[in-house]
Amino acid sequence: MKIEKCTKESFVVIGKEGSTNDGTGFIQKLWEDANSHFNEVAHLAKRDDKGNLLGVWGAMSDFSHSFKPWVNGRQGLYLAGVECYNEAKAPRGWVKWVVPGYEYIYVENKDSNTFSSVIQYLKENNISLAGAVHDFNCPESGKEYMFFPIRSL
């Protein structure tokens, strides 16, 4: 597992919001909903010079929308969406989150052990989570990552 660090200023994600209270498979359902209605937010998405999306995020937060870690790592909110410009307004049926800026440890999400392996790494290195973990899908490479906030900006 290759662990890398980066800093990311506050950013906006517009997506479909759900919670662990919605039951098993709720994240997959959110992504299906977001993907099938993407045309409604495509014009709001940040893009590179070639017109490619800059980021597709599975942003997470505690139930208070404070971006604290999920309760026991198992209960909280999830937003399946796309990174957008700060001034973007969420269309009806979509939700806008302004994710705070953090220093992150991030790793490629290759299997179901990624989360627990990084949590173990953090414990072994006396590093605390500063917020909720986020999923990131890199449109350019097609790779999936997990971002673990370790310091607020």
Side-chain angles (χ1 to χ4, degrees):
M1 174 173 63
K2 183 179 178 187
I3 295 177
E4 299 185 64
K5 277 187 183 180
C6 72
T7 300
K8 183 160 179 61
E9 298 292 332
S10 178
F11 63 100
V12 166
V13 176
I14 293 180
K16 298 291 186 166
E17 181 181 289
S19 97
T20 51
N21 293 336
D22 297 335
T24 304
F26 85 98
I27 291 175
Q28 182 179 353
K29 290 174 189 171
L30 290 175
W31 280 114
E32 289 169 1
D33 188 13
N35 290 333
S36 66
H37 295 97
F38 181 73
N39 62 314
E40 298 170 10
V41 295
H43 64 287
L44 303 172
K46 279 188 175 179
R47 298 177 182 273
D48 65 17
D49 295 340
K50 298 176 186 171
N52 300 312
L53 294 175
L54 286 181
V56 176
W57 290 89
M60 295 183 226
S61 177
D62 63 321
F63 288 112
S64 72
H65 288 92
S66 299
F67 298 97
K68 293 177 184 164
W70 278 16
V71 177
N72 299 320
R74 299 176 193 268
Q75 297 176 320
L77 302 173
Y78 191 94
L79 186 72
V82 64
E83 188 167 342
C84 294
Y85 292 98
N86 292 349
E87 63 278 359
K89 295 191 184 328
R92 173 176 275 165
W94 293 80
V95 176
K96 177 180 177 176
W97 283 8
V98 180
V99 180
Y102 291 105
E103 178 180 351
Y104 291 95
I105 284 178
Y106 68 97
V107 298
E108 188 175 349
N109 188 5
K110 292 184 177 183
D111 59 49
S112 61
N113 296 320
T114 301
F115 180 81
S116 57
S117 296
V118 175
I119 293 298
Q120 184 62 35
Y121 169 86
L122 295 175
K123 286 179 184 176
E124 290 170 359
N125 290 279
N126 267 345
I127 302 170
S128 298
L129 279 177
V133 177
H134 304 298
D135 295 326
F136 174 73
N137 298 298
C138 179
E140 186 177 342
S141 70
K143 293 182 179 180
E144 297 178 9
Y145 297 87
M146 295 187 88
F147 277 66
F148 296 77
I150 59 170
R151 184 180 61 83
S152 296
L153 299 184

PDB file of all heavy atoms in Angstrom, residues 102-138:
ATOM      1  N   TYR A 102      -8.148  20.393   4.061  1.00  0.00           N
ATOM      2  CA  TYR A 102      -7.385  19.500   4.942  1.00  0.00           C
ATOM      3  C   TYR A 102      -6.055  19.136   4.311  1.00  0.00           C
ATOM      4  O   TYR A 102      -5.894  19.199   3.093  1.00  0.00           O
ATOM      5  CB  TYR A 102      -8.125  18.169   5.164  1.00  0.00           C
ATOM      6  CG  TYR A 102      -9.376  18.228   5.979  1.00  0.00           C
ATOM      7  CD1 TYR A 102     -10.621  18.135   5.366  1.00  0.00           C
ATOM      8  CD2 TYR A 102      -9.345  18.342   7.367  1.00  0.00           C
ATOM      9  CE1 TYR A 102     -11.790  18.144   6.108  1.00  0.00           C
ATOM     10  CE2 TYR A 102     -10.505  18.357   8.115  1.00  0.00           C
ATOM     11  CZ  TYR A 102     -11.729  18.262   7.481  1.00  0.00           C
ATOM     12  OH  TYR A 102     -12.887  18.275   8.215  1.00  0.00           O
ATOM     13  N   GLU A 103      -5.162  18.677   5.153  1.00  0.00           N
ATOM     14  CA  GLU A 103      -4.025  17.888   4.695  1.00  0.00           C
ATOM     15  C   GLU A 103      -4.514  16.451   4.765  1.00  0.00           C
ATOM     16  O   GLU A 103      -5.126  16.036   5.754  1.00  0.00           O
ATOM     17  CB  GLU A 103      -2.815  18.084   5.604  1.00  0.00           C
ATOM     18  CG  GLU A 103      -1.631  17.231   5.192  1.00  0.00           C
ATOM     19  CD  GLU A 103      -0.417  17.412   6.102  1.00  0.00           C
ATOM     20  OE1 GLU A 103      -0.420  18.311   6.958  1.00  0.00           O
ATOM     21  OE2 GLU A 103       0.525  16.613   5.957  1.00  0.00           O
ATOM     22  N   TYR A 104      -4.262  15.698   3.695  1.00  0.00           N
ATOM     23  CA  TYR A 104      -4.751  14.328   3.601  1.00  0.00           C
ATOM     24  C   TYR A 104      -3.608  13.336   3.454  1.00  0.00           C
ATOM     25  O   TYR A 104      -2.586  13.637   2.854  1.00  0.00           O
ATOM     26  CB  TYR A 104      -5.626  14.150   2.350  1.00  0.00           C
ATOM     27  CG  TYR A 104      -6.949  14.847   2.363  1.00  0.00           C
ATOM     28  CD1 TYR A 104      -7.099  16.110   1.789  1.00  0.00           C
ATOM     29  CD2 TYR A 104      -8.071  14.237   2.909  1.00  0.00           C
ATOM     30  CE1 TYR A 104      -8.339  16.742   1.761  1.00  0.00           C
ATOM     31  CE2 TYR A 104      -9.311  14.864   2.888  1.00  0.00           C
ATOM     32  CZ  TYR A 104      -9.431  16.110   2.317  1.00  0.00           C
ATOM     33  OH  TYR A 104     -10.656  16.736   2.283  1.00  0.00           O
ATOM     34  N   ILE A 105      -3.855  12.145   3.974  1.00  0.00           N
ATOM     35  CA  ILE A 105      -3.130  10.949   3.562  1.00  0.00           C
ATOM     36  C   ILE A 105      -4.089  10.267   2.597  1.00  0.00           C
ATOM     37  O   ILE A 105      -5.278  10.132   2.891  1.00  0.00           O
ATOM     38  CB  ILE A 105      -2.816  10.033   4.758  1.00  0.00           C
ATOM     39  CG1 ILE A 105      -1.670  10.609   5.579  1.00  0.00           C
ATOM     40  CG2 ILE A 105      -2.493   8.619   4.279  1.00  0.00           C
ATOM     41  CD1 ILE A 105      -1.326   9.793   6.810  1.00  0.00           C
ATOM     42  N   TYR A 106      -3.573   9.876   1.425  1.00  0.00           N
ATOM     43  CA  TYR A 106      -4.457   9.196   0.483  1.00  0.00           C
ATOM     44  C   TYR A 106      -3.778   7.961  -0.075  1.00  0.00           C
ATOM     45  O   TYR A 106      -2.562   7.874  -0.145  1.00  0.00           O
ATOM     46  CB  TYR A 106      -4.939  10.138  -0.628  1.00  0.00           C
ATOM     47  CG  TYR A 106      -3.880  10.595  -1.599  1.00  0.00           C
ATOM     48  CD1 TYR A 106      -3.717   9.955  -2.826  1.00  0.00           C
ATOM     49  CD2 TYR A 106      -3.049  11.670  -1.301  1.00  0.00           C
ATOM     50  CE1 TYR A 106      -2.760  10.384  -3.731  1.00  0.00           C
ATOM     51  CE2 TYR A 106      -2.090  12.106  -2.198  1.00  0.00           C
ATOM     52  CZ  TYR A 106      -1.950  11.465  -3.414  1.00  0.00           C
ATOM     53  OH  TYR A 106      -0.995  11.887  -4.302  1.00  0.00           O
ATOM     54  N   VAL A 107      -4.627   6.994  -0.419  1.00  0.00           N
ATOM     55  CA  VAL A 107      -4.142   5.719  -0.940  1.00  0.00           C
ATOM     56  C   VAL A 107      -5.096   5.249  -2.032  1.00  0.00           C
ATOM     57  O   VAL A 107      -6.286   5.563  -2.010  1.00  0.00           O
ATOM     58  CB  VAL A 107      -4.046   4.628   0.149  1.00  0.00           C
ATOM     59  CG1 VAL A 107      -3.061   4.999   1.231  1.00  0.00           C
ATOM     60  CG2 VAL A 107      -5.403   4.325   0.746  1.00  0.00           C
ATOM     61  N   GLU A 108      -4.542   4.498  -2.963  1.00  0.00           N
ATOM     62  CA  GLU A 108      -5.404   3.884  -3.969  1.00  0.00           C
ATOM     63  C   GLU A 108      -6.259   2.830  -3.276  1.00  0.00           C
ATOM     64  O   GLU A 108      -5.771   2.033  -2.471  1.00  0.00           O
ATOM     65  CB  GLU A 108      -4.572   3.251  -5.083  1.00  0.00           C
ATOM     66  CG  GLU A 108      -5.419   2.772  -6.229  1.00  0.00           C
ATOM     67  CD  GLU A 108      -4.617   2.243  -7.407  1.00  0.00           C
ATOM     68  OE1 GLU A 108      -3.375   2.423  -7.438  1.00  0.00           O
ATOM     69  OE2 GLU A 108      -5.244   1.635  -8.292  1.00  0.00           O
ATOM     70  N   ASN A 109      -7.534   2.834  -3.574  1.00  0.00           N
ATOM     71  CA  ASN A 109      -8.477   1.898  -2.963  1.00  0.00           C
ATOM     72  C   ASN A 109      -8.554   0.653  -3.843  1.00  0.00           C
ATOM     73  O   ASN A 109      -9.326   0.605  -4.791  1.00  0.00           O
ATOM     74  CB  ASN A 109      -9.852   2.550  -2.808  1.00  0.00           C
ATOM     75  CG  ASN A 109     -10.800   1.699  -2.006  1.00  0.00           C
ATOM     76  OD1 ASN A 109     -10.436   0.657  -1.471  1.00  0.00           O
ATOM     77  ND2 ASN A 109     -12.043   2.147  -1.908  1.00  0.00           N
ATOM     78  N   LYS A 110      -7.738  -0.329  -3.502  1.00  0.00           N
ATOM     79  CA  LYS A 110      -7.628  -1.529  -4.343  1.00  0.00           C
ATOM     80  C   LYS A 110      -8.512  -2.677  -3.885  1.00  0.00           C
ATOM     81  O   LYS A 110      -8.822  -3.560  -4.670  1.00  0.00           O
ATOM     82  CB  LYS A 110      -6.177  -1.994  -4.395  1.00  0.00           C
ATOM     83  CG  LYS A 110      -5.266  -1.031  -5.132  1.00  0.00           C
ATOM     84  CD  LYS A 110      -3.872  -1.585  -5.248  1.00  0.00           C
ATOM     85  CE  LYS A 110      -2.989  -0.649  -6.048  1.00  0.00           C
ATOM     86  NZ  LYS A 110      -1.649  -1.181  -6.234  1.00  0.00           N
ATOM     87  N   ASP A 111      -8.891  -2.696  -2.600  1.00  0.00           N
ATOM     88  CA  ASP A 111      -9.707  -3.804  -2.105  1.00  0.00           C
ATOM     89  C   ASP A 111     -10.453  -3.391  -0.841  1.00  0.00           C
ATOM     90  O   ASP A 111     -10.308  -2.272  -0.358  1.00  0.00           O
ATOM     91  CB  ASP A 111      -8.850  -5.054  -1.857  1.00  0.00           C
ATOM     92  CG  ASP A 111      -7.735  -4.821  -0.854  1.00  0.00           C
ATOM     93  OD1 ASP A 111      -8.003  -4.272   0.234  1.00  0.00           O
ATOM     94  OD2 ASP A 111      -6.582  -5.198  -1.152  1.00  0.00           O
ATOM     95  N   SER A 112     -11.210  -4.317  -0.294  1.00  0.00           N
ATOM     96  CA  SER A 112     -12.050  -4.024   0.869  1.00  0.00           C
ATOM     97  C   SER A 112     -11.252  -3.813   2.160  1.00  0.00           C
ATOM     98  O   SER A 112     -11.821  -3.415   3.172  1.00  0.00           O
ATOM     99  CB  SER A 112     -13.074  -5.145   1.077  1.00  0.00           C
ATOM    100  OG  SER A 112     -12.407  -6.369   1.319  1.00  0.00           O
ATOM    101  N   ASN A 113      -9.947  -4.065   2.138  1.00  0.00           N
ATOM    102  CA  ASN A 113      -9.121  -3.884   3.332  1.00  0.00           C
ATOM    103  C   ASN A 113      -8.456  -2.509   3.392  1.00  0.00           C
ATOM    104  O   ASN A 113      -7.784  -2.194   4.371  1.00  0.00           O
ATOM    105  CB  ASN A 113      -8.033  -4.959   3.394  1.00  0.00           C
ATOM    106  CG  ASN A 113      -8.620  -6.342   3.552  1.00  0.00           C
ATOM    107  OD1 ASN A 113      -9.580  -6.538   4.282  1.00  0.00           O
ATOM    108  ND2 ASN A 113      -8.060  -7.300   2.848  1.00  0.00           N
ATOM    109  N   THR A 114      -8.615  -1.697   2.367  1.00  0.00           N
ATOM    110  CA  THR A 114      -7.906  -0.419   2.312  1.00  0.00           C
ATOM    111  C   THR A 114      -8.214   0.450   3.525  1.00  0.00           C
ATOM    112  O   THR A 114      -7.301   0.954   4.187  1.00  0.00           O
ATOM    113  CB  THR A 114      -8.240   0.341   1.008  1.00  0.00           C
ATOM    114  OG1 THR A 114      -7.860  -0.472  -0.098  1.00  0.00           O
ATOM    115  CG2 THR A 114      -7.507   1.669   0.939  1.00  0.00           C
ATOM    116  N   PHE A 115      -9.492   0.642   3.831  1.00  0.00           N
ATOM    117  CA  PHE A 115      -9.872   1.506   4.941  1.00  0.00           C
ATOM    118  C   PHE A 115      -9.247   1.033   6.249  1.00  0.00           C
ATOM    119  O   PHE A 115      -8.578   1.793   6.939  1.00  0.00           O
ATOM    120  CB  PHE A 115     -11.402   1.576   5.079  1.00  0.00           C
ATOM    121  CG  PHE A 115     -11.853   2.449   6.220  1.00  0.00           C
ATOM    122  CD1 PHE A 115     -11.919   3.824   6.083  1.00  0.00           C
ATOM    123  CD2 PHE A 115     -12.215   1.889   7.439  1.00  0.00           C
ATOM    124  CE1 PHE A 115     -12.337   4.629   7.136  1.00  0.00           C
ATOM    125  CE2 PHE A 115     -12.624   2.676   8.495  1.00  0.00           C
ATOM    126  CZ  PHE A 115     -12.691   4.057   8.344  1.00  0.00           C
ATOM    127  N   SER A 116      -9.439  -0.232   6.591  1.00  0.00           N
ATOM    128  CA  SER A 116      -8.924  -0.746   7.867  1.00  0.00           C
ATOM    129  C   SER A 116      -7.402  -0.724   7.903  1.00  0.00           C
ATOM    130  O   SER A 116      -6.802  -0.469   8.950  1.00  0.00           O
ATOM    131  CB  SER A 116      -9.460  -2.146   8.158  1.00  0.00           C
ATOM    132  OG  SER A 116      -9.137  -3.035   7.122  1.00  0.00           O
ATOM    133  N   SER A 117      -6.744  -0.959   6.780  1.00  0.00           N
ATOM    134  CA  SER A 117      -5.279  -0.919   6.735  1.00  0.00           C
ATOM    135  C   SER A 117      -4.755   0.484   7.016  1.00  0.00           C
ATOM    136  O   SER A 117      -3.774   0.661   7.743  1.00  0.00           O
ATOM    137  CB  SER A 117      -4.764  -1.380   5.373  1.00  0.00           C
ATOM    138  OG  SER A 117      -5.093  -2.723   5.149  1.00  0.00           O
ATOM    139  N   VAL A 118      -5.418   1.503   6.451  1.00  0.00           N
ATOM    140  CA  VAL A 118      -4.967   2.879   6.688  1.00  0.00           C
ATOM    141  C   VAL A 118      -5.277   3.306   8.122  1.00  0.00           C
ATOM    142  O   VAL A 118      -4.462   3.970   8.762  1.00  0.00           O
ATOM    143  CB  VAL A 118      -5.568   3.861   5.662  1.00  0.00           C
ATOM    144  CG1 VAL A 118      -5.181   5.296   5.988  1.00  0.00           C
ATOM    145  CG2 VAL A 118      -5.100   3.496   4.255  1.00  0.00           C
ATOM    146  N   ILE A 119      -6.417   2.906   8.642  1.00  0.00           N
ATOM    147  CA  ILE A 119      -6.737   3.221  10.044  1.00  0.00           C
ATOM    148  C   ILE A 119      -5.675   2.614  10.960  1.00  0.00           C
ATOM    149  O   ILE A 119      -5.204   3.251  11.904  1.00  0.00           O
ATOM    150  CB  ILE A 119      -8.160   2.740  10.416  1.00  0.00           C
ATOM    151  CG1 ILE A 119      -9.218   3.540   9.650  1.00  0.00           C
ATOM    152  CG2 ILE A 119      -8.387   2.814  11.917  1.00  0.00           C
ATOM    153  CD1 ILE A 119      -9.248   5.033   9.922  1.00  0.00           C
ATOM    154  N   GLN A 120      -5.258   1.397  10.679  1.00  0.00           N
ATOM    155  CA  GLN A 120      -4.198   0.753  11.464  1.00  0.00           C
ATOM    156  C   GLN A 120      -2.891   1.532  11.334  1.00  0.00           C
ATOM    157  O   GLN A 120      -2.186   1.756  12.320  1.00  0.00           O
ATOM    158  CB  GLN A 120      -4.009  -0.705  11.026  1.00  0.00           C
ATOM    159  CG  GLN A 120      -3.001  -1.465  11.857  1.00  0.00           C
ATOM    160  CD  GLN A 120      -3.409  -1.579  13.317  1.00  0.00           C
ATOM    161  OE1 GLN A 120      -4.578  -1.706  13.656  1.00  0.00           O
ATOM    162  NE2 GLN A 120      -2.424  -1.496  14.205  1.00  0.00           N
ATOM    163  N   TYR A 121      -2.551   1.952  10.126  1.00  0.00           N
ATOM    164  CA  TYR A 121      -1.355   2.763   9.893  1.00  0.00           C
ATOM    165  C   TYR A 121      -1.415   4.054  10.721  1.00  0.00           C
ATOM    166  O   TYR A 121      -0.427   4.452  11.347  1.00  0.00           O
ATOM    167  CB  TYR A 121      -1.221   3.088   8.401  1.00  0.00           C
ATOM    168  CG  TYR A 121      -0.172   4.126   8.095  1.00  0.00           C
ATOM    169  CD1 TYR A 121       1.163   3.766   7.915  1.00  0.00           C
ATOM    170  CD2 TYR A 121      -0.507   5.476   7.996  1.00  0.00           C
ATOM    171  CE1 TYR A 121       2.125   4.725   7.650  1.00  0.00           C
ATOM    172  CE2 TYR A 121       0.453   6.438   7.727  1.00  0.00           C
ATOM    173  CZ  TYR A 121       1.770   6.062   7.562  1.00  0.00           C
ATOM    174  OH  TYR A 121       2.723   7.024   7.300  1.00  0.00           O
ATOM    175  N   LEU A 122      -2.561   4.708  10.729  1.00  0.00           N
ATOM    176  CA  LEU A 122      -2.708   5.950  11.498  1.00  0.00           C
ATOM    177  C   LEU A 122      -2.475   5.691  12.986  1.00  0.00           C
ATOM    178  O   LEU A 122      -1.758   6.450  13.643  1.00  0.00           O
ATOM    179  CB  LEU A 122      -4.097   6.563  11.270  1.00  0.00           C
ATOM    180  CG  LEU A 122      -4.410   7.051   9.854  1.00  0.00           C
ATOM    181  CD1 LEU A 122      -5.857   7.520   9.756  1.00  0.00           C
ATOM    182  CD2 LEU A 122      -3.461   8.158   9.425  1.00  0.00           C
ATOM    183  N   LYS A 123      -3.066   4.624  13.507  1.00  0.00           N
ATOM    184  CA  LYS A 123      -2.891   4.273  14.926  1.00  0.00           C
ATOM    185  C   LYS A 123      -1.419   4.010  15.239  1.00  0.00           C
ATOM    186  O   LYS A 123      -0.885   4.500  16.232  1.00  0.00           O
ATOM    187  CB  LYS A 123      -3.727   3.047  15.293  1.00  0.00           C
ATOM    188  CG  LYS A 123      -5.193   3.319  15.404  1.00  0.00           C
ATOM    189  CD  LYS A 123      -5.958   2.052  15.753  1.00  0.00           C
ATOM    190  CE  LYS A 123      -7.451   2.334  15.771  1.00  0.00           C
ATOM    191  NZ  LYS A 123      -8.229   1.116  16.017  1.00  0.00           N
ATOM    192  N   GLU A 124      -0.766   3.218  14.400  1.00  0.00           N
ATOM    193  CA  GLU A 124       0.638   2.866  14.629  1.00  0.00           C
ATOM    194  C   GLU A 124       1.554   4.081  14.584  1.00  0.00           C
ATOM    195  O   GLU A 124       2.629   4.076  15.173  1.00  0.00           O
ATOM    196  CB  GLU A 124       1.095   1.839  13.590  1.00  0.00           C
ATOM    197  CG  GLU A 124       0.478   0.478  13.779  1.00  0.00           C
ATOM    198  CD  GLU A 124       0.744  -0.466  12.619  1.00  0.00           C
ATOM    199  OE1 GLU A 124       1.406  -0.065  11.628  1.00  0.00           O
ATOM    200  OE2 GLU A 124       0.266  -1.619  12.697  1.00  0.00           O
ATOM    201  N   ASN A 125       1.137   5.130  13.872  1.00  0.00           N
ATOM    202  CA  ASN A 125       1.958   6.325  13.720  1.00  0.00           C
ATOM    203  C   ASN A 125       1.428   7.524  14.504  1.00  0.00           C
ATOM    204  O   ASN A 125       1.839   8.655  14.264  1.00  0.00           O
ATOM    205  CB  ASN A 125       2.086   6.676  12.230  1.00  0.00           C
ATOM    206  CG  ASN A 125       2.949   5.662  11.509  1.00  0.00           C
ATOM    207  OD1 ASN A 125       4.170   5.731  11.552  1.00  0.00           O
ATOM    208  ND2 ASN A 125       2.311   4.688  10.877  1.00  0.00           N
ATOM    209  N   ASN A 126       0.536   7.248  15.467  1.00  0.00           N
ATOM    210  CA  ASN A 126      -0.025   8.301  16.327  1.00  0.00           C
ATOM    211  C   ASN A 126      -0.619   9.462  15.537  1.00  0.00           C
ATOM    212  O   ASN A 126      -0.419  10.625  15.880  1.00  0.00           O
ATOM    213  CB  ASN A 126       1.019   8.835  17.303  1.00  0.00           C
ATOM    214  CG  ASN A 126       0.985   8.114  18.618  1.00  0.00           C
ATOM    215  OD1 ASN A 126       0.018   7.419  18.913  1.00  0.00           O
ATOM    216  ND2 ASN A 126       2.034   8.283  19.393  1.00  0.00           N
ATOM    217  N   ILE A 127      -1.333   9.152  14.486  1.00  0.00           N
ATOM    218  CA  ILE A 127      -1.978  10.167  13.651  1.00  0.00           C
ATOM    219  C   ILE A 127      -3.482  10.032  13.841  1.00  0.00           C
ATOM    220  O   ILE A 127      -4.033   8.931  13.741  1.00  0.00           O
ATOM    221  CB  ILE A 127      -1.607   9.984  12.163  1.00  0.00           C
ATOM    222  CG1 ILE A 127      -0.092  10.051  11.971  1.00  0.00           C
ATOM    223  CG2 ILE A 127      -2.307  11.025  11.303  1.00  0.00           C
ATOM    224  CD1 ILE A 127       0.377   9.653  10.577  1.00  0.00           C
ATOM    225  N   SER A 128      -4.132  11.152  14.113  1.00  0.00           N
ATOM    226  CA  SER A 128      -5.582  11.151  14.301  1.00  0.00           C
ATOM    227  C   SER A 128      -6.289  11.654  13.059  1.00  0.00           C
ATOM    228  O   SER A 128      -5.769  12.518  12.349  1.00  0.00           O
ATOM    229  CB  SER A 128      -5.970  12.069  15.469  1.00  0.00           C
ATOM    230  OG  SER A 128      -5.400  11.619  16.660  1.00  0.00           O
ATOM    231  N   LEU A 129      -7.485  11.148  12.838  1.00  0.00           N
ATOM    232  CA  LEU A 129      -8.313  11.674  11.766  1.00  0.00           C
ATOM    233  C   LEU A 129      -8.822  13.050  12.177  1.00  0.00           C
ATOM    234  O   LEU A 129      -9.293  13.238  13.297  1.00  0.00           O
ATOM    235  CB  LEU A 129      -9.516  10.771  11.503  1.00  0.00           C
ATOM    236  CG  LEU A 129      -9.299   9.543  10.648  1.00  0.00           C
ATOM    237  CD1 LEU A 129     -10.592   8.727  10.560  1.00  0.00           C
ATOM    238  CD2 LEU A 129      -8.826   9.914   9.267  1.00  0.00           C
ATOM    239  N   ALA A 130      -8.742  14.000  11.270  1.00  0.00           N
ATOM    240  CA  ALA A 130      -9.238  15.356  11.528  1.00  0.00           C
ATOM    241  C   ALA A 130     -10.638  15.540  10.965  1.00  0.00           C
ATOM    242  O   ALA A 130     -11.257  16.583  11.168  1.00  0.00           O
ATOM    243  CB  ALA A 130      -8.285  16.384  10.916  1.00  0.00           C
ATOM    244  N   GLY A 131     -11.135  14.548  10.257  1.00  0.00           N
ATOM    245  CA  GLY A 131     -12.453  14.647   9.640  1.00  0.00           C
ATOM    246  C   GLY A 131     -12.836  13.321   9.015  1.00  0.00           C
ATOM    247  O   GLY A 131     -12.133  12.319   9.178  1.00  0.00           O
ATOM    248  N   ALA A 132     -13.949  13.344   8.301  1.00  0.00           N
ATOM    249  CA  ALA A 132     -14.455  12.139   7.653  1.00  0.00           C
ATOM    250  C   ALA A 132     -13.606  11.782   6.433  1.00  0.00           C
ATOM    251  O   ALA A 132     -13.075  12.650   5.753  1.00  0.00           O
ATOM    252  CB  ALA A 132     -15.905  12.350   7.232  1.00  0.00           C
ATOM    253  N   VAL A 133     -13.510  10.511   6.173  1.00  0.00           N
ATOM    254  CA  VAL A 133     -12.774   9.983   5.022  1.00  0.00           C
ATOM    255  C   VAL A 133     -13.635  10.177   3.770  1.00  0.00           C
ATOM    256  O   VAL A 133     -14.861  10.104   3.829  1.00  0.00           O
ATOM    257  CB  VAL A 133     -12.466   8.486   5.242  1.00  0.00           C
ATOM    258  CG1 VAL A 133     -11.764   7.881   4.049  1.00  0.00           C
ATOM    259  CG2 VAL A 133     -11.640   8.310   6.518  1.00  0.00           C
ATOM    260  N   HIS A 134     -12.989  10.447   2.626  1.00  0.00           N
ATOM    261  CA  HIS A 134     -13.704  10.627   1.365  1.00  0.00           C
ATOM    262  C   HIS A 134     -13.186   9.651   0.318  1.00  0.00           C
ATOM    263  O   HIS A 134     -12.003   9.324   0.287  1.00  0.00           O
ATOM    264  CB  HIS A 134     -13.507  12.052   0.823  1.00  0.00           C
ATOM    265  CG  HIS A 134     -13.915  13.121   1.768  1.00  0.00           C
ATOM    266  ND1 HIS A 134     -15.196  13.270   2.231  1.00  0.00           N
ATOM    267  CD2 HIS A 134     -13.195  14.103   2.349  1.00  0.00           C
ATOM    268  CE1 HIS A 134     -15.253  14.301   3.051  1.00  0.00           C
ATOM    269  NE2 HIS A 134     -14.045  14.817   3.149  1.00  0.00           N
ATOM    270  N   ASP A 135     -14.096   9.236  -0.553  1.00  0.00           N
ATOM    271  CA  ASP A 135     -13.732   8.452  -1.732  1.00  0.00           C
ATOM    272  C   ASP A 135     -13.509   9.426  -2.879  1.00  0.00           C
ATOM    273  O   ASP A 135     -14.259  10.392  -3.032  1.00  0.00           O
ATOM    274  CB  ASP A 135     -14.865   7.499  -2.131  1.00  0.00           C
ATOM    275  CG  ASP A 135     -15.140   6.430  -1.091  1.00  0.00           C
ATOM    276  OD1 ASP A 135     -14.193   5.977  -0.434  1.00  0.00           O
ATOM    277  OD2 ASP A 135     -16.320   6.041  -0.952  1.00  0.00           O
ATOM    278  N   PHE A 136     -12.494   9.154  -3.689  1.00  0.00           N
ATOM    279  CA  PHE A 136     -12.212   9.995  -4.851  1.00  0.00           C
ATOM    280  C   PHE A 136     -12.001   9.100  -6.051  1.00  0.00           C
ATOM    281  O   PHE A 136     -11.217   8.148  -6.000  1.00  0.00           O
ATOM    282  CB  PHE A 136     -10.957  10.842  -4.613  1.00  0.00           C
ATOM    283  CG  PHE A 136     -10.513  11.623  -5.820  1.00  0.00           C
ATOM    284  CD1 PHE A 136     -11.221  12.729  -6.253  1.00  0.00           C
ATOM    285  CD2 PHE A 136      -9.382  11.245  -6.526  1.00  0.00           C
ATOM    286  CE1 PHE A 136     -10.817  13.447  -7.370  1.00  0.00           C
ATOM    287  CE2 PHE A 136      -8.959  11.958  -7.643  1.00  0.00           C
ATOM    288  CZ  PHE A 136      -9.680  13.063  -8.062  1.00  0.00           C
ATOM    289  N   ASN A 137     -12.706   9.405  -7.120  1.00  0.00           N
ATOM    290  CA  ASN A 137     -12.539   8.695  -8.387  1.00  0.00           C
ATOM    291  C   ASN A 137     -11.860   9.655  -9.343  1.00  0.00           C
ATOM    292  O   ASN A 137     -12.420  10.711  -9.662  1.00  0.00           O
ATOM    293  CB  ASN A 137     -13.892   8.260  -8.948  1.00  0.00           C
ATOM    294  CG  ASN A 137     -14.591   7.292  -8.028  1.00  0.00           C
ATOM    295  OD1 ASN A 137     -14.091   6.207  -7.774  1.00  0.00           O
ATOM    296  ND2 ASN A 137     -15.734   7.681  -7.508  1.00  0.00           N
ATOM    297  N   CYS A 138     -10.676   9.302  -9.790  1.00  0.00           N
ATOM    298  CA  CYS A 138      -9.919  10.159 -10.699  1.00  0.00           C
ATOM    299  C   CYS A 138     -10.383   9.881 -12.125  1.00  0.00           C
ATOM    300  O   CYS A 138     -10.103   8.805 -12.661  1.00  0.00           O
ATOM    301  CB  CYS A 138      -8.425   9.883 -10.557  1.00  0.00           C
ATOM    302  SG  CYS A 138      -7.414  10.886 -11.669  1.00  0.00           S
TER     303      CYS A 138
END
